[in-house]
Amino acid sequence: MKSSAVHRLRLVSAPEGLSFILLLVCSVLKRTTDFNAVPVMGAVHGALFVLYVVFLALAWQKQRWDAKRGAILFVLSVLPFGGFVAERMLAKEERGEYPAAGQPAAA
């Protein structure tokens, strides 16, 4: 099911996941070298995370996802590489390969 809310969430999920990984790398570099990009990457990741959560809430409401689906997408946002998994899930939903709320899975 094509939805602009799902599309926006999909567009922000991969960059949010990448920013999280880069923030983790910057945190390690901060402690092992003189390089400190944590303030910059922290701000970038924070902004993308807030966008992800806002877009998740909008898509959840518009698509009428059940609590399990919404919770899975939220948990993916706080796991390294989770943003990439979320992006793939949302891409499948946009292509109609993932059943929308209230529809049975294809046999």
Side-chain angles (χ1 to χ4, degrees):
M1 176 181 292
K2 193 84 167 180
S3 166
S4 61
V6 172
H7 188 71
R8 282 191 306 261
L9 180 59
R10 180 178 169 224
L11 288 178
V12 77
S13 62
E16 189 274 335
L18 179 62
S19 72
F20 185 31
I21 292 167
L22 290 174
L23 180 59
L24 293 175
V25 169
C26 289
S27 294
V28 170
L29 290 175
K30 175 184 176 182
R31 283 156 180 77
T32 58
T33 67
D34 291 334
F35 182 75
N36 183 11
V38 171
V40 173
M41 276 313 304
V44 169
H45 174 66
L48 288 170
F49 180 76
V50 168
L51 278 175
Y52 183 92
V53 171
V54 168
F55 290 159
L56 173 60
L58 293 172
W60 193 342
Q61 180 183 22
K62 183 167 175 112
Q63 295 298 110
R64 296 188 174 116
W65 288 330
D66 59 359
K68 180 181 174 185
R69 174 107 172 155
I72 287 170
L73 286 167
F74 180 76
V75 168
L76 287 172
S77 74
V78 297
L79 296 175
F81 300 101
F84 303 109
V85 175
E87 193 276 333
R88 299 222 31 197
M89 285 175 61
L90 295 165
K92 283 183 178 182
E93 182 161 328
E94 280 192 316
R95 290 190 306 264
E97 297 172 17
Y98 193 92
Q103 295 178 352

XYZ file of all heavy atoms in Angstrom:
821
model
N 0.849 -1.179 0.000
C 0.000 0.000 0.000
C 0.889 1.236 0.000
O 1.705 1.416 0.873
C -0.898 -0.022 1.242
C -1.741 1.224 1.374
S -2.771 1.222 2.840
C -3.897 -0.064 2.420
N 0.733 2.064 -1.018
C 1.539 3.280 -1.151
C 0.997 4.356 -0.217
O -0.170 4.684 -0.253
C 1.476 3.758 -2.601
C 2.488 4.805 -2.930
C 3.799 4.179 -3.271
C 4.686 5.226 -3.906
N 5.950 4.730 -4.266
N 1.850 4.859 0.636
C 1.447 5.900 1.574
C 2.592 6.890 1.709
O 3.748 6.496 1.850
C 1.124 5.284 2.932
O 1.056 6.281 3.920
N 2.257 8.167 1.673
C 3.310 9.165 1.818
C 3.919 9.103 3.224
O 5.109 9.367 3.391
C 2.758 10.557 1.529
O 1.723 10.879 2.433
N 3.135 8.729 4.233
C 3.660 8.623 5.591
C 4.694 7.497 5.675
O 5.753 7.654 6.283
C 2.519 8.393 6.579
N 4.388 6.366 5.072
C 5.332 5.241 5.055
C 6.562 5.614 4.243
O 7.689 5.296 4.631
C 4.661 3.968 4.489
C 5.671 2.852 4.284
C 3.535 3.505 5.405
N 6.361 6.306 3.139
C 7.491 6.705 2.291
C 8.432 7.649 3.040
O 9.653 7.494 2.979
C 6.973 7.354 1.005
C 8.049 7.619 0.014
N 8.684 6.616 -0.687
C 8.631 8.768 -0.390
C 9.599 7.134 -1.467
N 9.586 8.439 -1.312
N 7.879 8.624 3.764
C 8.723 9.538 4.547
C 9.494 8.768 5.613
O 10.689 9.020 5.821
C 7.870 10.627 5.201
C 7.452 11.721 4.276
C 6.839 12.885 5.029
N 5.729 12.464 5.891
C 4.452 12.576 5.576
N 4.092 13.095 4.432
N 3.519 12.184 6.417
N 8.835 7.848 6.290
C 9.505 7.047 7.315
C 10.617 6.218 6.679
O 11.718 6.126 7.229
C 8.498 6.148 8.028
C 9.044 5.242 9.123
C 9.721 6.048 10.228
C 7.923 4.382 9.701
N 10.341 5.655 5.531
C 11.353 4.860 4.828
C 12.556 5.720 4.439
O 13.707 5.305 4.578
C 10.729 4.235 3.591
C 11.702 3.409 2.814
C 11.050 2.760 1.611
N 12.095 2.204 0.789
C 12.129 2.315 -0.521
N 11.161 2.921 -1.170
N 13.128 1.804 -1.196
N 12.281 6.938 3.955
C 13.375 7.808 3.531
C 14.293 8.220 4.676
O 15.481 8.444 4.464
C 12.821 9.058 2.845
C 12.234 8.866 1.456
C 11.678 10.181 0.932
C 13.271 8.303 0.503
N 13.774 8.330 5.883
C 14.594 8.777 7.005
C 15.212 7.594 7.766
O 16.172 7.780 8.512
C 13.795 9.695 7.962
C 12.859 8.919 8.845
C 14.709 10.569 8.784
N 14.734 6.370 7.560
C 15.212 5.237 8.360
C 16.673 4.873 8.077
O 17.444 4.649 9.016
C 14.303 4.021 8.186
O 14.293 3.590 6.859
N 17.069 4.798 6.823
C 18.457 4.441 6.505
C 19.445 5.523 6.953
O 20.458 5.207 7.584
C 18.617 4.122 5.029
N 19.194 6.812 6.671
C 20.115 7.834 7.181
C 20.191 7.851 8.714
O 21.257 8.083 9.282
C 19.533 9.146 6.653
C 18.769 8.763 5.452
C 18.217 7.400 5.743
N 19.070 7.580 9.381
C 19.085 7.523 10.847
C 19.966 6.370 11.311
O 20.763 6.519 12.240
C 17.650 7.364 11.382
C 17.525 7.514 12.878
C 17.785 6.248 13.652
O 17.607 5.142 13.097
O 18.179 6.349 14.824
N 19.848 5.224 10.662
C 20.690 4.077 11.011
C 22.165 4.351 10.761
O 23.028 4.005 11.578
N 22.473 4.985 9.634
C 23.857 5.323 9.317
C 24.416 6.332 10.323
O 25.557 6.192 10.774
C 23.956 5.873 7.894
C 25.349 6.294 7.440
C 26.294 5.098 7.442
C 25.279 6.921 6.055
N 23.619 7.320 10.687
C 24.104 8.325 11.647
C 24.380 7.698 13.013
O 25.308 8.099 13.704
C 23.111 9.477 11.777
O 21.947 9.079 12.473
N 23.593 6.690 13.381
C 23.814 5.994 14.648
C 25.151 5.245 14.623
O 25.945 5.321 15.566
C 22.660 5.036 14.919
C 22.702 4.351 16.257
C 23.264 4.949 17.371
C 22.160 3.093 16.415
C 23.285 4.318 18.606
C 22.177 2.450 17.633
C 22.746 3.065 18.738
N 25.424 4.565 13.528
C 26.694 3.839 13.400
C 27.859 4.821 13.403
O 28.874 4.591 14.079
C 26.685 2.977 12.127
C 25.658 1.850 12.291
C 28.073 2.405 11.838
C 25.333 1.119 11.022
N 27.729 5.924 12.667
C 28.801 6.929 12.653
C 29.009 7.545 14.032
O 30.143 7.823 14.425
C 28.499 8.009 11.619
C 28.592 7.572 10.163
C 28.130 8.696 9.239
C 30.000 7.133 9.821
N 27.936 7.747 14.779
C 28.055 8.272 16.138
C 28.809 7.289 17.029
O 29.657 7.692 17.837
C 26.682 8.575 16.720
C 26.657 9.129 18.145
C 27.444 10.430 18.241
C 25.222 9.329 18.606
N 28.537 6.005 16.872
C 29.275 4.992 17.646
C 30.755 4.996 17.282
O 31.619 4.911 18.166
C 28.668 3.610 17.421
C 27.257 3.388 17.960
C 26.742 2.015 17.546
C 27.223 3.548 19.464
N 31.056 5.103 15.988
C 32.459 5.169 15.539
C 33.128 6.413 16.104
O 34.264 6.355 16.606
C 32.539 5.139 13.997
C 33.941 5.469 13.511
C 32.085 3.790 13.464
N 32.446 7.543 16.053
C 33.009 8.789 16.593
C 33.243 8.688 18.100
O 34.225 9.240 18.607
C 32.094 9.967 16.282
S 32.100 10.433 14.544
N 32.369 7.983 18.795
C 32.548 7.799 20.241
C 33.814 6.995 20.539
O 34.565 7.321 21.465
C 31.338 7.086 20.840
O 30.203 7.890 20.739
N 34.058 5.968 19.747
C 35.275 5.165 19.928
C 36.502 6.004 19.596
O 37.503 5.990 20.340
C 35.221 3.890 19.061
C 36.560 3.178 19.041
C 34.118 2.958 19.558
N 36.438 6.752 18.488
C 37.575 7.586 18.101
C 37.868 8.673 19.130
O 39.024 9.019 19.367
C 37.329 8.215 16.727
C 37.355 7.259 15.549
C 36.971 7.971 14.259
C 38.720 6.600 15.418
N 36.824 9.187 19.752
C 37.004 10.218 20.772
C 37.835 9.679 21.937
O 38.661 10.389 22.514
C 35.641 10.693 21.275
C 35.719 11.688 22.416
C 34.341 12.043 22.928
C 34.449 12.958 24.131
N 33.137 13.293 24.677
N 37.609 8.438 22.280
C 38.306 7.852 23.428
C 39.671 7.266 23.092
O 40.476 7.020 23.966
C 37.418 6.792 24.076
C 36.321 7.440 24.906
C 35.118 6.579 25.091
N 34.073 7.215 25.884
C 33.250 8.147 25.452
N 33.373 8.628 24.233
N 32.305 8.650 26.229
N 39.921 7.031 21.807
C 41.187 6.412 21.428
C 42.138 7.361 20.698
O 43.314 7.035 20.540
C 40.937 5.178 20.538
O 40.211 5.567 19.383
C 40.176 4.102 21.305
N 41.611 8.493 20.232
C 42.446 9.463 19.511
C 42.072 10.874 19.976
O 41.269 11.045 20.869
C 42.226 9.366 17.985
O 40.912 9.790 17.672
C 42.460 7.959 17.466
N 42.664 11.849 19.325
C 42.330 13.245 19.614
C 41.154 13.741 18.768
O 40.736 14.884 18.906
C 43.544 14.148 19.351
C 44.646 13.915 20.366
O 44.320 13.482 21.489
O 45.813 14.160 20.026
N 40.638 12.896 17.902
C 39.530 13.263 17.022
C 38.212 13.240 17.803
O 37.868 12.246 18.430
C 39.465 12.278 15.850
C 38.398 12.588 14.841
C 38.552 13.634 13.953
C 37.250 11.826 14.777
C 37.579 13.910 13.008
C 36.269 12.097 13.846
C 36.439 13.140 12.955
N 37.470 14.353 17.763
C 36.211 14.419 18.500
C 35.119 15.022 17.615
O 34.943 16.233 17.557
C 36.356 15.234 19.778
C 35.082 15.245 20.594
O 34.157 14.492 20.328
N 35.040 16.105 21.586
N 34.388 14.153 16.951
C 33.262 14.598 16.127
C 31.932 14.261 16.788
O 30.881 14.376 16.163
C 33.340 13.958 14.749
N 31.976 13.834 18.048
C 30.756 13.440 18.748
C 29.729 14.572 18.833
O 28.538 14.325 18.602
C 31.080 12.854 20.141
C 29.829 12.646 20.960
C 31.841 11.548 19.991
N 30.120 15.814 19.140
C 29.087 16.860 19.197
C 28.343 17.049 17.867
O 27.122 17.210 17.857
C 29.877 18.115 19.561
C 31.084 17.608 20.279
C 31.422 16.312 19.602
N 29.068 16.994 16.774
C 28.444 17.174 15.460
C 27.580 15.966 15.110
O 26.409 16.102 14.741
C 29.507 17.419 14.364
C 28.883 17.436 12.988
C 30.249 18.700 14.647
N 28.148 14.770 15.225
C 27.382 13.568 14.882
C 26.228 13.359 15.852
O 25.178 12.841 15.464
C 28.282 12.326 14.877
C 29.031 12.107 13.593
S 28.058 12.256 12.075
C 26.751 11.093 12.312
N 26.411 13.754 17.097
C 25.318 13.649 18.067
C 24.135 14.511 17.667
O 22.980 14.084 17.761
N 24.419 15.713 17.190
C 23.346 16.611 16.752
C 22.661 16.083 15.493
O 21.427 16.107 15.392
C 23.904 18.006 16.503
N 23.462 15.587 14.554
C 22.900 15.041 13.312
C 22.031 13.825 13.631
O 20.882 13.716 13.172
C 24.019 14.670 12.314
C 23.475 13.868 11.143
C 24.735 15.920 11.837
N 22.569 12.910 14.431
C 21.811 11.713 14.783
C 20.557 12.074 15.579
O 19.488 11.503 15.350
C 22.677 10.729 15.584
C 21.895 9.564 16.089
N 21.337 8.625 15.256
C 21.542 9.205 17.346
C 20.690 7.733 15.979
N 20.795 8.069 17.259
N 20.675 13.021 16.497
C 19.516 13.433 17.290
C 18.398 13.976 16.423
O 17.226 13.634 16.608
N 18.745 14.812 15.454
C 17.729 15.375 14.555
C 17.074 14.275 13.717
O 15.843 14.247 13.565
C 18.364 16.425 13.652
N 17.892 13.349 13.192
C 17.329 12.259 12.389
C 16.475 11.316 13.236
O 15.442 10.826 12.775
C 18.447 11.488 11.688
C 19.111 12.223 10.533
C 20.363 11.487 10.064
C 18.141 12.413 9.387
N 16.870 11.086 14.477
C 16.090 10.222 15.359
C 14.729 10.855 15.660
O 13.703 10.176 15.637
C 16.855 9.938 16.658
C 16.096 9.052 17.605
C 16.006 7.691 17.372
C 15.464 9.575 18.718
C 15.292 6.870 18.232
C 14.757 8.772 19.592
C 14.672 7.412 19.351
N 14.727 12.162 15.935
C 13.453 12.850 16.201
C 12.555 12.775 14.966
O 11.349 12.498 15.082
C 13.698 14.309 16.638
C 12.408 15.107 16.640
C 14.350 14.338 18.020
N 13.115 13.000 13.781
C 12.331 12.872 12.549
C 11.769 11.461 12.399
O 10.605 11.282 12.030
C 13.186 13.206 11.326
C 13.350 14.662 10.975
C 14.326 14.821 9.809
C 12.019 15.287 10.634
N 12.599 10.463 12.682
C 12.157 9.077 12.580
C 10.973 8.822 13.508
O 9.976 8.231 13.105
C 13.318 8.127 12.911
C 12.955 6.665 12.761
C 13.165 5.993 11.562
C 12.406 5.939 13.812
C 12.839 4.655 11.412
C 12.067 4.600 13.668
C 12.289 3.971 12.472
O 11.958 2.657 12.323
N 11.073 9.265 14.744
C 9.999 9.031 15.708
C 8.724 9.767 15.292
O 7.622 9.210 15.377
C 10.448 9.419 17.137
C 9.283 9.389 18.103
C 11.554 8.481 17.610
N 8.848 10.995 14.825
C 7.671 11.746 14.368
C 7.043 11.056 13.160
O 5.820 10.846 13.112
C 8.047 13.206 14.032
C 6.925 13.913 13.287
C 8.409 13.954 15.309
N 7.859 10.673 12.180
C 7.332 9.999 10.993
C 6.760 8.628 11.341
O 5.789 8.186 10.725
C 8.399 9.871 9.909
C 8.778 11.183 9.266
C 9.977 11.313 8.602
C 7.949 12.291 9.321
C 10.337 12.503 7.993
C 8.286 13.499 8.726
C 9.486 13.596 8.056
N 7.358 7.948 12.321
C 6.823 6.665 12.775
C 5.430 6.862 13.370
O 4.498 6.113 13.061
C 7.752 6.018 13.801
C 7.225 4.747 14.478
C 6.942 3.659 13.446
C 8.213 4.263 15.523
N 5.262 7.871 14.213
C 3.956 8.129 14.824
C 2.909 8.453 13.755
O 1.772 7.954 13.817
C 4.065 9.270 15.831
N 3.291 9.253 12.763
C 2.350 9.606 11.694
C 1.973 8.393 10.844
O 0.797 8.192 10.515
C 2.943 10.711 10.816
C 3.120 12.073 11.484
C 3.891 13.017 10.571
C 1.779 12.660 11.877
N 2.982 7.580 10.485
C 2.708 6.388 9.677
C 1.887 5.380 10.467
O 0.970 4.749 9.925
C 4.023 5.758 9.212
N 2.186 5.236 11.752
C 1.466 4.300 12.617
C -0.012 4.682 12.649
O -0.888 3.821 12.536
C 2.072 4.350 14.000
C 1.694 3.269 14.957
C 0.638 2.413 14.886
C 2.387 2.926 16.151
N 0.631 1.583 15.963
C 1.694 1.863 16.758
C 3.518 3.422 16.773
C 2.101 1.289 17.953
C 3.925 2.846 17.961
C 3.229 1.784 18.542
N -0.278 5.947 12.790
C -1.657 6.419 12.846
C -2.347 6.254 11.487
O -3.467 5.744 11.414
C -1.682 7.883 13.266
C -3.072 8.465 13.344
C -3.049 9.936 13.701
O -2.041 10.619 13.512
N -4.154 10.431 14.211
N -1.679 6.653 10.422
C -2.286 6.609 9.098
C -2.505 5.176 8.615
O -3.534 4.857 8.023
C -1.431 7.375 8.092
C -2.045 7.424 6.719
C -1.357 8.419 5.834
C -1.926 8.340 4.453
N -2.662 9.485 4.058
N -1.541 4.302 8.857
C -1.624 2.924 8.385
C -2.420 2.020 9.328
O -2.693 0.876 8.990
C -0.225 2.338 8.202
C 0.597 3.008 7.133
C -0.040 2.874 5.783
O -0.523 3.837 5.217
N -0.051 1.671 5.248
N -2.698 2.521 10.531
C -3.400 1.742 11.560
C -2.687 0.426 11.853
O -3.297 -0.640 11.893
C -4.851 1.495 11.143
C -5.639 2.764 11.045
C -7.110 2.479 10.822
N -7.862 3.705 10.882
C -8.527 4.219 9.871
N -8.547 3.585 8.721
N -9.187 5.344 10.018
N -1.357 0.546 12.023
C -0.574 -0.628 12.381
C -0.942 -1.078 13.781
O -1.330 -0.273 14.627
C 0.923 -0.299 12.361
C 1.495 -0.102 10.995
C 1.088 -0.693 9.833
C 2.600 0.730 10.641
N 1.869 -0.269 8.794
C 2.802 0.595 9.260
C 3.438 1.565 11.366
C 3.815 1.268 8.587
C 4.435 2.236 10.697
C 4.623 2.087 9.326
N -0.767 -2.366 14.042
C -0.980 -2.852 15.398
C 0.219 -2.466 16.266
O 1.242 -1.987 15.767
C -1.223 -4.365 15.406
C -0.068 -5.171 14.809
O 0.923 -4.569 14.361
O -0.157 -6.403 14.802
N 0.086 -2.665 17.569
C 1.142 -2.260 18.502
C 2.446 -3.006 18.238
O 3.532 -2.442 18.390
C 0.675 -2.481 19.933
N 2.346 -4.267 17.836
C 3.546 -5.063 17.580
C 4.382 -4.461 16.455
O 5.593 -4.300 16.583
C 3.155 -6.497 17.235
C 4.326 -7.401 16.942
C 3.870 -8.788 16.575
C 5.043 -9.649 16.152
N 4.597 -10.965 15.681
N 3.740 -4.085 15.378
C 4.455 -3.517 14.225
C 5.103 -2.181 14.598
O 6.256 -1.923 14.270
C 3.471 -3.327 13.066
C 4.064 -2.617 11.888
C 4.295 -3.529 10.785
N 4.687 -2.738 9.614
C 5.399 -3.224 8.650
N 5.737 -4.472 8.677
N 5.757 -2.488 7.652
N 4.366 -1.330 15.272
C 4.915 -0.044 15.696
C 6.073 -0.210 16.655
O 7.089 0.491 16.557
N 5.944 -1.162 17.589
C 7.007 -1.400 18.563
C 8.264 -1.940 17.878
O 9.386 -1.543 18.213
C 6.530 -2.366 19.640
N 8.076 -2.833 16.918
C 9.233 -3.377 16.192
C 9.979 -2.255 15.467
O 11.209 -2.168 15.533
C 8.799 -4.475 15.196
C 8.410 -5.735 15.959
C 9.897 -4.777 14.180
C 7.749 -6.798 15.098
N 9.234 -1.393 14.789
C 9.877 -0.295 14.067
C 10.564 0.675 15.020
O 11.609 1.239 14.693
C 8.865 0.429 13.182
C 8.461 -0.353 11.932
C 7.242 0.264 11.273
C 9.617 -0.434 10.959
N 10.004 0.871 16.218
C 10.670 1.741 17.185
C 11.941 1.084 17.719
O 12.991 1.733 17.798
C 9.750 2.111 18.350
C 10.449 3.001 19.340
C 10.660 4.342 19.058
C 10.953 2.492 20.528
C 11.343 5.161 19.940
C 11.636 3.300 21.419
C 11.829 4.639 21.124
N 11.872 -0.177 18.080
C 13.051 -0.877 18.606
C 14.162 -0.893 17.565
O 15.341 -0.735 17.906
C 12.684 -2.300 19.069
C 13.914 -3.138 19.350
C 11.796 -2.234 20.310
N 13.804 -1.050 16.303
C 14.821 -1.029 15.251
C 15.559 0.304 15.200
O 16.728 0.349 14.820
C 14.193 -1.336 13.888
C 13.793 -2.788 13.666
C 13.008 -2.930 12.369
C 15.011 -3.696 13.668
N 14.903 1.380 15.611
C 15.554 2.691 15.567
C 16.633 2.858 16.622
O 17.471 3.747 16.507
C 14.520 3.810 15.718
O 14.062 3.889 17.049
N 16.625 2.019 17.641
C 17.632 2.142 18.705
C 18.665 1.023 18.652
O 19.489 0.897 19.562
C 16.974 2.215 20.107
C 16.120 3.455 20.231
C 16.174 0.965 20.415
N 18.655 0.227 17.599
C 19.638 -0.828 17.414
C 20.589 -0.469 16.273
O 20.148 0.052 15.245
C 18.953 -2.150 17.061
C 18.036 -2.759 18.101
C 17.356 -3.996 17.523
C 18.805 -3.106 19.357
N 21.886 -0.750 16.454
C 22.790 -0.543 15.320
C 22.324 -1.387 14.130
O 21.925 -2.532 14.298
C 24.145 -1.037 15.841
C 24.031 -0.937 17.329
C 22.586 -1.213 17.644
N 22.338 -0.840 12.975
C 21.886 -1.452 11.725
C 20.373 -1.648 11.667
O 19.850 -2.112 10.673
C 22.603 -2.783 11.448
C 24.092 -2.641 11.323
C 24.926 -2.983 12.379
C 24.655 -2.145 10.165
C 26.292 -2.837 12.282
C 26.026 -1.998 10.055
C 26.845 -2.340 11.116
N 19.653 -1.287 12.712
C 18.204 -1.436 12.727
C 17.502 -0.553 11.712
O 16.472 -0.925 11.161
N 18.054 0.625 11.462
C 17.460 1.522 10.476
C 17.422 0.919 9.089
O 16.491 1.152 8.307
N 18.434 0.103 8.773
C 18.484 -0.540 7.466
C 17.440 -1.652 7.361
O 16.823 -1.848 6.325
C 19.883 -1.082 7.189
C 20.942 -0.016 7.267
C 21.849 0.007 8.305
C 20.998 0.993 6.307
C 22.809 1.002 8.391
C 21.958 1.989 6.385
C 22.856 1.993 7.434
N 17.236 -2.376 8.462
C 16.197 -3.414 8.499
C 14.824 -2.765 8.365
O 13.965 -3.242 7.617
C 16.298 -4.241 9.804
C 15.157 -5.238 9.901
C 17.645 -4.952 9.896
N 14.609 -1.657 9.069
C 13.341 -0.938 8.989
C 13.097 -0.449 7.567
O 11.974 -0.548 7.056
C 13.333 0.236 9.969
N 14.127 0.057 6.912
C 13.979 0.551 5.545
C 13.537 -0.572 4.617
O 12.662 -0.384 3.776
C 15.310 1.161 5.060
C 15.188 1.966 3.784
C 15.246 1.143 2.518
O 15.860 0.056 2.532
O 14.650 1.562 1.518
N 14.085 -1.757 4.791
C 13.705 -2.897 3.944
C 12.271 -3.331 4.217
O 11.528 -3.654 3.298
C 14.664 -4.058 4.155
C 16.080 -3.637 3.772
C 16.918 -4.541 3.035
N 16.308 -5.446 2.127
C 16.937 -6.498 1.669
N 18.149 -6.759 2.056
N 16.359 -7.298 0.808
N 11.880 -3.331 5.500
C 10.493 -3.675 5.843
C 9.519 -2.688 5.200
O 8.486 -3.083 4.645
C 10.300 -3.646 7.367
C 10.890 -4.803 8.109
S 10.747 -4.622 9.911
C 8.984 -4.548 10.129
N 9.855 -1.408 5.294
C 8.974 -0.376 4.752
C 8.942 -0.408 3.226
O 7.903 -0.139 2.616
C 9.408 0.997 5.272
C 9.242 1.163 6.788
C 10.026 2.377 7.275
C 7.792 1.249 7.184
N 10.064 -0.750 2.606
C 10.094 -0.877 1.148
C 9.174 -2.012 0.699
O 8.439 -1.878 -0.287
C 11.524 -1.123 0.665
N 9.192 -3.126 1.432
C 8.292 -4.237 1.107
C 6.833 -3.813 1.251
O 5.988 -4.186 0.445
C 8.567 -5.428 2.020
C 9.792 -6.209 1.652
C 9.947 -7.406 2.548
C 11.158 -8.213 2.152
N 11.310 -9.423 2.973
N 6.553 -3.039 2.286
C 5.180 -2.575 2.463
C 4.761 -1.660 1.318
O 3.639 -1.762 0.823
C 5.016 -1.853 3.797
C 3.592 -1.399 4.011
C 3.262 -1.100 5.437
O 3.817 -1.731 6.347
O 2.420 -0.220 5.640
N 5.655 -0.795 0.883
C 5.333 0.099 -0.246
C 5.082 -0.686 -1.529
O 4.251 -0.298 -2.337
C 6.452 1.109 -0.473
C 6.409 2.277 0.468
C 7.339 3.386 0.037
O 8.487 3.112 -0.350
O 6.901 4.541 0.084
N 5.812 -1.779 -1.706
C 5.616 -2.604 -2.907
C 4.421 -3.537 -2.776
O 4.088 -4.246 -3.716
C 6.880 -3.421 -3.178
C 8.053 -2.604 -3.642
C 9.190 -3.481 -4.137
N 9.629 -4.486 -3.182
C 10.648 -4.359 -2.346
N 11.363 -3.248 -2.334
N 10.972 -5.330 -1.513
N 3.815 -3.587 -1.593
C 2.660 -4.456 -1.383
C 3.026 -5.871 -1.007
O 2.174 -6.758 -1.020
N 4.286 -6.124 -0.659
C 4.724 -7.466 -0.286
C 4.506 -7.762 1.195
O 4.619 -8.888 1.625
C 6.205 -7.645 -0.613
C 6.501 -7.545 -2.090
C 7.990 -7.538 -2.369
O 8.783 -7.919 -1.495
O 8.362 -7.132 -3.484
N 4.210 -6.722 1.973
C 3.974 -6.893 3.403
C 2.515 -6.553 3.646
O 2.052 -5.505 3.212
C 4.879 -5.959 4.214
C 4.916 -6.279 5.685
C 5.877 -7.137 6.191
C 3.990 -5.730 6.569
C 5.926 -7.440 7.530
C 4.028 -6.031 7.912
C 4.999 -6.886 8.395
O 5.037 -7.190 9.718
N 1.772 -7.425 4.318
C 0.337 -7.147 4.494
C 0.100 -5.907 5.343
O 0.751 -5.703 6.366
C -0.187 -8.402 5.193
C 0.999 -9.027 5.818
C 2.177 -8.672 4.952
N -0.808 -5.084 4.906
C -1.184 -3.887 5.675
C -2.073 -4.326 6.832
O -2.517 -5.466 6.918
C -1.915 -2.912 4.771
N -2.352 -3.403 7.721
C -3.173 -3.698 8.886
C -4.546 -4.212 8.444
O -5.169 -3.657 7.546
C -3.327 -2.437 9.743
N -4.974 -5.281 9.088
C -6.301 -5.817 8.817
C -6.382 -6.716 7.605
O -7.439 -7.209 7.271
N -5.244 -6.937 6.928
C -5.252 -7.805 5.764
C -4.486 -9.083 6.081
O -3.418 -9.022 6.692
C -4.606 -7.119 4.567
C -5.360 -5.914 4.070
C -4.652 -5.254 2.911
O -3.529 -5.609 2.560
N -5.302 -4.288 2.294
N -4.982 -10.227 5.663
C -4.262 -11.480 5.932
C -3.006 -11.570 5.063
O -2.938 -10.982 3.991
C -5.265 -12.558 5.556
C -6.185 -11.903 4.578
C -6.234 -10.440 4.979
N -2.019 -12.299 5.561
C -0.791 -12.500 4.797
C -1.100 -13.386 3.597
O -1.943 -14.293 3.656
C 0.273 -13.145 5.675
N -0.407 -13.132 2.498
C -0.607 -13.936 1.284
C -0.062 -15.341 1.510
O 0.977 -15.542 2.127
C 0.101 -13.289 0.097
N -0.756 -16.331 0.999
C -0.353 -17.726 1.211
C 0.707 -18.132 0.228
O 0.924 -17.640 -0.784
C -1.550 -18.641 1.066
